[in-house]
Amino acid sequence: MGMARRQARAATLVAVAILAGVAAGAYWWRQDAAGRDQRGPAARKPAPPVRAVTLTPETRLVERTRYPACDGVVLETERPPTPVETGWRLADLLRSRETWHLLAATPGRIVLERVQDGPCPPEGWLRYRTVRLHQDRVAVFYGRPGAGGEDLGPLRLLTTIPAERLLPGDRRRLEQGLVVEGDAEAWHVLESLTP
């Protein structure tokens, strides 16, 4: 009988502890709600954890521009943050880009998207990629350069491959720019550059 009595006491103590925890949680929740009402809507709340992610030089920033009127064409840029953006929190980045919305965020990769209602991108941007040097690194651009370079599209990918790691022949070719068809061929060129 003594064992049953001890188990009953233990069960009663656990039940009392649970009820006390629930009551304390309800009390603090009500205190926090009352405090929010007193501070007003202008009071700044701490950023949720994902918005507190800090952009580092190793972060990959992916920007997708969707063209719904162009059969769902999406142009995507992948790059590290600029020197100005490095050190920003994700919330700061989003405030600087009012037309963009967040698709995904981890400390190593942030994906933003916007919808472009304007004209469709040129066919050359969709078909060709140019692999060349940009900011002393290997980069891939949409399109191909025409007379004077006016047909070269936006940046597709800024890699981490520095120009000084390239073999002299590869460096000369990339200073001129290598034109290929599509992302798959561009990735093949990039793979051939890395040891």
Side-chain angles (χ1 to χ4, degrees), residues 7-146:
Q7 288 177 342
R9 270 192 214 150
T12 303
L13 287 174
V14 167
V16 168
I18 290 172
L19 287 174
V22 168
Y27 172 79
W28 287 112
W29 178 79
R30 288 187 56 114
Q31 292 296 319
D32 186 51
R36 278 195 305 269
D37 292 342
Q38 291 171 357
R39 289 189 300 257
R44 186 171 180 167
K45 297 187 295 186
V50 73
R51 291 184 181 257
V53 168
T54 300
L55 280 69
T56 67
E58 292 77 33
T59 303
R60 299 305 292 177
L61 185 57
V62 178
E63 300 162 319
R64 293 180 183 156
T65 303
R66 186 172 302 282
Y67 295 84
C70 308
D71 297 327
V73 168
V74 176
L75 296 185
E76 182 174 291
T77 296
E78 183 176 333
R79 62 178 178 81
T82 65
V84 171
E85 295 166 339
T86 301
W88 282 8
R89 291 176 307 137
L90 177 56
D92 300 326
L93 180 69
L94 292 173
R95 273 195 295 279
S96 75
R97 308 216 175 163
E98 295 177 2
T99 60
W100 297 81
H101 66 274
L102 180 66
L103 289 183
T106 63
R109 184 176 169 89
I110 296 169
V111 182
L112 302 174
E113 185 179 76
R114 70 176 172 175
V115 175
Q116 186 74 32
D117 292 325
C120 298
E123 184 62 35
W125 288 11
L126 304 178
R127 182 174 178 187
Y128 297 105
R129 303 291 180 266
T130 300
V131 184
R132 60 181 276 197
L133 295 179
H134 179 69
Q135 298 176 352
D136 288 326
R137 286 186 270 178
V138 177
V140 178
F141 286 84
Y142 285 102
R144 62 182 176 182

Side-chain angles (χ1 to χ4, degrees), residues 21 91 121 161 174:
I161 305 169
L174 294 185

